[in-house]
Amino acid sequence: MRVVGELRVDWATSLSLVGTVLKALTAPLVGTALVALWYREPLVPFLATAVLTLGAGIALERLGRDDLGIREGFLMVALTWLAIAVVGAVPFLIAGEGNLASPVNALFESTSGVTTTGATVVADFDTHSRAIHLWRALLQWMGGLGILVIAVAVLSQLSIGGAQLMETESQTRDVNKLTPSIEETARLLGWLYAGLTGLMVATWLAIGAVGLGPEVTLYDAVAHAFTAVSTAGFSPRAGSLGAFSPAVQWATIPFMFLGATNFVLLYHLTRGDPSRLVDSDEFRFYLAVVLGLTGLTAAFLVASGEFTRVERVARHSLFQVVSILTTTGYATVDFNGWSAAAKHMLFLAMFSGGMAGSTTCSIKTLRWLVVVKSFRRDLFREIHPDAIRPVRLSGQVVDEEVVRDVYAYVLLSGIVFVLLTVFVVTDAARAGKQIGEFEAMGASAATFLNIGPAFGAAGPYGDYAWFPATTKVAFIVLMWVGRIEIIPVLVLLTPAFWRS
Amino acid sequence: MRVVIVGAGEVGSTIAESLAESHDVVVVDIDSDRVESLTYSLDVLPIEGDGSDVETLEEAGVADADMVIASTDDDETNIVTCGAANVVSDAFTIARVKSPKYLTAWQRARGAFGVDFMVCSDLLTAEAIVGLAGLPTAQDVDTFADGLVQMTEFEIPAESPVADQTVAEADRFDSLTFAAIIREDEVVIPRGDTRLRAGDEVVAIGSPESIRDFSSEIAPRERGPEDIVIVGGGEIGYQTARLLEERGFSPRLIEQDEDRARWLAEKLPNTTVLNSDATDQELLERENVGKADVIVAALTNDQQNLLATLLAKRKGTKRAITVVNTGDFAELFEAVGVDVAVSPRKATAEEITRFTRARRAENVSIIEGDRAEVLELEIDAESVLVDRSIRESAADIPEGVVIGAITRGDEHITPRGDTVVREGDHVIVFVDTEVLDEVTEKL
C-alpha cells in the first residue's frame, strides 16, 4: 500500500515552530559567549553556533505555518528536543577539547545535557574551558523545565497550541493549569524555576561566606544550581559534589528534592498554602520512598562497615538516594565501592523518579502510586467481585484510561530497559570489551531513565566515553526517548499517526 | 391563618389534614379527581389548576394567604410556584424538593428562588435513616438546640435488662430525662416508681451521649452498628451513605445500574459500592450480608425494598430500616419484619406541618402521629418558668407536660426540681397534644 501523498502531518508547521525555538536559543549562546569573554576564553564556539542557530531558525520559520494540530504538536516536541541536542553539540565540536572533540561524543554530551540525564563522556575535566562547562550546565537548565516554558511562552505569543504542547509533555494530565491562560501558567512555572535556582545560588554563596564551604565560588554556585534544580547532574568538578564540604552537600539535597517535586504544588506553597502539598498522596508517597530507600541504604552501609560515623552514613545515603531517585546524578562518594546490597538500593531508586509535573525523569512516583493503588484494588476485588472501586489520587478519581496508560508505560519502560541492556552487552562483546551484567543494566537504566551515573566504568567518577560508538548512539536515542517519554515516540512510530 | 397548599398528593393531603381543623386551607391540584376526593374527607377549599400559574394562585386567594406550601412531586414546579406566589402576595412560602441540589443553593442564600423555607425530602429521609441506624431499637430521632439535645423514641425489647425496672432504677444517666412512655396508644407521664415493660416505647430527651448510653443500656448485646449495608443507590441511598461516611462509617452500597454504581463509587470514597442485584441470593451469601448490623433498603420500589429486607433478615441481618414510598404501607412493613419503616413523604409532610407550628416554637417534633409533641421554646420574661425553680412553677404547668432539657448558650442543663430557669434559656418540653395551646401560651 502506498501512503505517499496521503500524509496529513503538516511538517512545515512543525519545523517552522522548531525554527522559532531555535531562534530563541541564540540568547543563551550569546550569554555563554559573554561568560567566555569574562574568563578570556575562546568566544568562537558560542558566537559561531549562535549565528548558525539564528540562521537555521529563521530559515525554518520561513516554511510558514498553519494551525497546530495534535500530530504537529507531537512532532514538534520530538523535533525540538532533537534540534536543541544537535545545536548544543556544536560548541563542543568547535572547541574541540578532549573527549568532546568527536561528533558522537559531542552529540552524546549535548543530548545527555538537554534531556537532563547527566551521563558524561568528559574524563579530564580540566581540559575544558569554564564556558564549555557552563554551556553543559545551561543545556541542562534549559532542558529541565526551560524548554517547556520557552516553547510554551513562544508558542502562546504566536497564539497557537500551547495547551496541546502542555498535554503532549505531560501524559498523566498532572500539570494542572494554574491560570486560565497557558502563557501565564508557563510564566509562573518559569519564575518558580528561576526563583528556586536563584535561591540555591544564594544558599551556596551564604555557606561559602560563613566559612562552611570555603571552596564555593560564584561560578560553582551558578553551574550547580543550573543542574541541581533541573535534576540533571552535570558538574564542572571531576569530584562532582564530593569536591565540596559536607555543609554544601547537605544544602544541595533539598534543591534536588524540590526540583523533583510537582511545580504546581510548589507554586501553591509559595502562595502560603502548604495544604496542597501535604494533602498530595503522591508527595507523601515520594517522601516515603525517599526515606524508605535511604533507611535501607544506610542500614546496609552500616552493616557492611562502609562508614562508622552517623553523620557520614546519614549524609551519603540520603544524598545518594535523593540524587539517583530524583534522576539528578550527583555523587559525594564513589558508590561503586559500596556493598552489593547498598548498590542495589540505588539501582532500585533509578526506576522511581520524582513527582510528575517536575523536572524529574524516569517512571515517576505518580505512575508507581497508580500501579500500587490499582494493584490493591485488584486484590480487593478478589474478595468483593461486584465492587466498583475507582483508583483515587489525593481523593480525585483517576480515569480507568489513565490507569491503563500507566500500566502500558511501566511495561514498555521495562521492555525497553531489557532490550537496551541486551544490546549494551552484545555490542560490547562485538567491540571486544568486557562489561558485567550489573554494569550494563546500570548504564541502560541511567541513560534511558535520564539519571546519569551508573556503576562500574560508567560509575559516579567514571564516564561513558569508554562505550563503543554504536552503544553511545543507542544511548543518545534512548535518552531522547526517555525524556519525551515513550508513548509520544511510539505514537510517532504508528502508521495511523501518519495517515489521515 | 389562610394556607394555600399546591399539590394534593400524599404530602399535600397529609399537611392539609393536619392544618384543616384550625386554619383556612385552600388546596390546588392539576388533577380534578384528587381535588374532589379531598373535599369529601376534609374541610378545605379545592381549586383545580396549575399552581405555578399566577392566575390559578390568584383564584386560590393567594393575595390574602399567610402561607403557601408547594408540595407537588416535581421539584421545579414547587420552586416556580413559590416564585410565582411571591410576585402576587406576601405569604410565607414553603417548597418541598427531592433533590438536595436546590437545597444547597437555597441554604447559601435563604429566600433564594422566592422560597422562605425549603424541605428536602431525600435528605430529610437520609438524615432520619442515619439517626436511626446509629441507635439500636430507636424508632424516631430528632435533634434540638443545634444538636445539644436529642429526642429519641426507643422500643424496649422483651429481653432488655431495663424491662420490668422502675424508671428510677433505669435512669442512671445524669443528662437524660424520661419524658413519656407510650403504652398501647396511651401516653403515660412517668414517675419514679413507674415500671417499664417490654414493648413500651420510651420518649427520652437528653444529651446525644446519654441517649447513646441509654440505647446500649436497653439493648446491651447490640453494640453500635459497624457494618451497614445500603440497598439502592438513588438519591436517598446516596445521601444516606454520604452522611454515614461523614460520621466515620464505611458502609456498603448495592446498586444494580452499572453507570450509577460507578458514579456512586467516585462520589463516595469510603463506601464499598457493589454493582449487583440486592435480591440475588448468591450476592448476599458472597458479601456476607447476613453478618451486617443494619440493612437500609432505599430502592424506589416498595415491593423490592421489602423483598431485599426480608431476604437480608433471613440471612441474619440484625436490623432493617426500610424506605416505604407509599406511606400507608409503613405499618404493614413493620408488622412483617421490618424494624423501622421510613416514609419520605410522611417525613416531609411532618416536617412542613412541624414548621407551620414551629412558628410559635423554635423546633417541634411530632410523636406517634399526633398524640404529643416535643417543642423547643425560648423563655421570655412573660413565661411562668422565668426566674423560678421548676418545683415552684410546677403548679402553673398543666398535666401532661415534662421539661426534658434546658440549654443556656452552649451549655446543657438537666432539669431537676431545684433548677432555676432564666430568660433566654431554651427549654425542650414534651407536651401532650391536648394541652398544647395552654402550654405554648404559658411558657
Side-chain angles (χ1 to χ4, degrees), chain B residues 52-130:
Chain B
S52 56
D53 182 347
V54 174
E55 281 169 22
T56 311
L57 287 174
E58 279 176 332
E59 195 189 333
V62 77
D64 305 322
D66 300 288
M67 190 179 275
V68 174
I69 299 170
S71 60
T72 71
D73 253 348
D74 185 74
D75 289 1
E76 288 79 5
T77 303
N78 291 339
I79 291 172
V80 173
T81 299
C82 287
N86 233 9
V87 174
V88 287
S89 87
D90 299 328
F92 190 89
T93 55
I94 299 178
R96 164 206 181 193
V97 295
K98 283 186 232 160
S99 162
K101 70 182 175 191
Y102 297 113
L103 184 71
T104 316
W106 181 80
Q107 278 171 335
R108 291 267 172 89
R110 303 260 162 165
F113 315 124
V115 175
D116 295 314
F117 183 66
M118 192 177 267
V119 178
C120 177
S121 356
D122 287 352
L123 194 60
L124 204 65
T125 311
E127 278 166 355
I129 290 170
V130 171

Side-chain angles (χ1 to χ4, degrees), chain B residues 341-404:
Chain B
V342 180
S343 158
R345 292 203 175 90
K346 269 212 168 126
T348 308
E350 211 172 84
E351 177 77 8
I352 293 175
T353 311
R354 172 189 302 182
F355 187 80
T356 60
R357 296 195 194 164
R359 301 187 76 193
R360 297 167 308 194
E362 297 287 312
N363 203 344
V364 182
S365 179
I366 298 162
I367 309 283
E368 287 287 302
D370 223 353
R371 201 168 304 284
E373 289 184 10
V374 175
L375 304 174
E376 178 181 344
L377 298 164
E378 191 176 322
I379 298 301
D380 58 19
E382 267 105 71
S383 169
V384 293
L385 293 176
V386 79
D387 293 332
R388 294 163 78 187
S389 73
I390 290 176
R391 197 175 291 112
E392 282 166 358
S393 38
D396 296 328
I397 304 174
E399 282 280 313
V401 175
V402 178
I403 297 179

Side-chain angles (χ1 to χ4, degrees), chain A residues 377 380-381 383-390 392 395 397-400, chain B residues 252 258 261-262 265-269 272-276 283 286-287:
Chain A
R377 186 250 309 263
F380 182 84
R381 277 179 55 101
I383 309 163
H384 301 278
D386 304 289
I388 293 185
R389 171 164 288 214
R392 283 168 200 277
V397 173
V398 180
D399 252 21
E400 290 305 315
Chain B
R252 286 182 285 169
E258 195 182 334
R262 188 155 291 284
E266 290 182 1
K267 290 280 179 186
L268 298 164
T272 301
V273 177
L274 304 166
N275 177 210
S276 188
L283 167 91
R286 195 162 61 227
E287 282 295 330

Side-chain angles (χ1 to χ4, degrees), chain A residues 90-409:
Chain A
V90 178
F92 298 145
L93 278 175
I94 299 179
E97 297 156 348
N99 281 344
L100 291 179
S102 99
V104 171
N105 281 355
L107 190 62
F108 182 94
E109 192 76 4
S110 171
T111 309
S112 168
V114 82
T115 58
T116 73
T117 306
T120 186
V121 291
V122 172
D124 186 359
F125 279 70
D126 297 332
T127 58
H128 302 284
S129 69
R130 288 165 182 257
I132 285 289
H133 279 302
L134 190 70
W135 178 241
R136 291 166 76 227
L138 199 54
L139 274 176
Q140 297 208 312
W141 193 70
M142 290 189 294
L145 196 71
I147 283 183
L148 175 68
V149 171
I150 291 167
V152 169
V154 169
L155 291 177
S156 55
Q157 267 168 24
L158 302 167
S159 69
I160 35 168
Q164 237 139 37
L165 187 75
M166 213 67 158
E167 260 170 45
T168 314
E169 267 282 326
S170 56
Q171 280 298 298
T172 37
R173 302 180 201 175
D174 33 48
V175 178
N176 314 18
K177 280 176 73 178
L178 291 168
T179 63
S181 140
I182 192 101
E183 187 190 344
E184 187 63 23
T185 304
R187 190 172 310 142
L188 285 176
L189 296 182
W191 278 116
L192 186 61
Y193 187 57
L196 210 51
T197 312
L199 189 63
M200 174 156 162
V201 172
T203 309
W204 272 45
L205 291 178
I207 290 172
V210 298
L212 288 170
E215 65 286 352
V216 172
T217 64
L218 174 63
Y219 178 84
D220 284 320
V222 172
H224 285 97
F226 278 165
T227 58
V229 174
S230 58
T231 65
F234 276 157
S235 168
R237 302 276 196 135
S240 185
L241 264 279
F244 296 91
S245 69
V248 174
Q249 294 173 3
W250 276 114
T252 308
I253 295 172
F255 290 100
M256 295 189 285
F257 184 82
L258 290 176
T261 304
N262 187 323
F263 272 54
V264 173
L265 299 182
L266 285 185
Y267 172 78
H268 288 291
L269 191 66
T270 62
R271 286 287 142 125
D273 176 15
S275 66
R276 288 281 296 269
L277 192 65
V278 177
D279 293 343
S280 161
D281 281 357
E282 193 197 354
F283 179 71
R284 289 198 302 255
F285 181 68
Y286 167 46
L287 194 64
V289 172
V290 167
L291 295 178
L293 279 174
T294 302
L296 283 171
T297 309
F300 290 135
L301 288 178
V302 170
S304 66
E306 186 71 34
F307 300 103
T308 42
R309 300 244 306 268
V310 174
E311 190 270 343
R312 284 197 190 169
V313 175
R315 173 159 48 90
H316 291 306
S317 49
L318 182 63
F319 190 100
Q320 241 58 241
V321 166
V322 169
S323 168
I324 297 288
L325 187 137
T326 60
T327 77
T328 309
Y330 287 146
T332 52
V333 288
D334 188 358
F335 51 75
N336 251 328
W338 286 4
S339 69
K343 274 202 285 193
H344 275 80
M345 286 299 107
L346 296 184
F347 180 65
L348 272 184
M350 284 185 172
F351 290 87
S352 166
M355 292 176 76
S358 72
T359 66
T360 198
C361 303
S362 191
I363 310 275
K364 298 188 172 81
T365 42
L366 183 88
R367 293 201 178 90
W368 284 121
L369 190 56
V370 168
V371 167
V372 168
K373 290 201 166 196
S374 100
F375 183 60
R376 214 162 54 192
R377 186 250 309 263
D378 292 345
L379 287 182
F380 182 84
R381 277 179 55 101
E382 288 291 315
I383 309 163
H384 301 278
D386 304 289
I388 293 185
R389 171 164 288 214
V391 173
R392 283 168 200 277
L393 283 179
S394 312
Q396 296 287 316
V397 173
V398 180
D399 252 21
E400 290 305 315
E401 230 172 275
V402 173
V403 175
R404 274 199 298 278
D405 285 354
V406 164
Y407 268 103
Y409 186 88

Side-chain angles (χ1 to χ4, degrees), chain B residues 197-248:
Chain B
R197 290 189 213 146
D200 281 358
E201 280 181 19
V202 179
V203 178
I205 298 171
S207 66
E209 301 80 55
S210 61
I211 294 276
R212 234 184 341 266
D213 291 345
F214 180 57
S215 147
S216 49
E217 181 79 20
I218 294 177
R221 272 179 302 163
E222 293 182 39
R223 280 170 292 105
E226 278 160 24
D227 188 5
I228 300 174
V229 176
I230 302 163
V231 174
E235 194 64 45
I236 293 175
Y238 165 60
Q239 294 295 342
T240 304
R242 193 180 61 80
L243 293 173
L244 284 170
E245 279 191 355
E246 267 178 22
R247 283 160 180 71

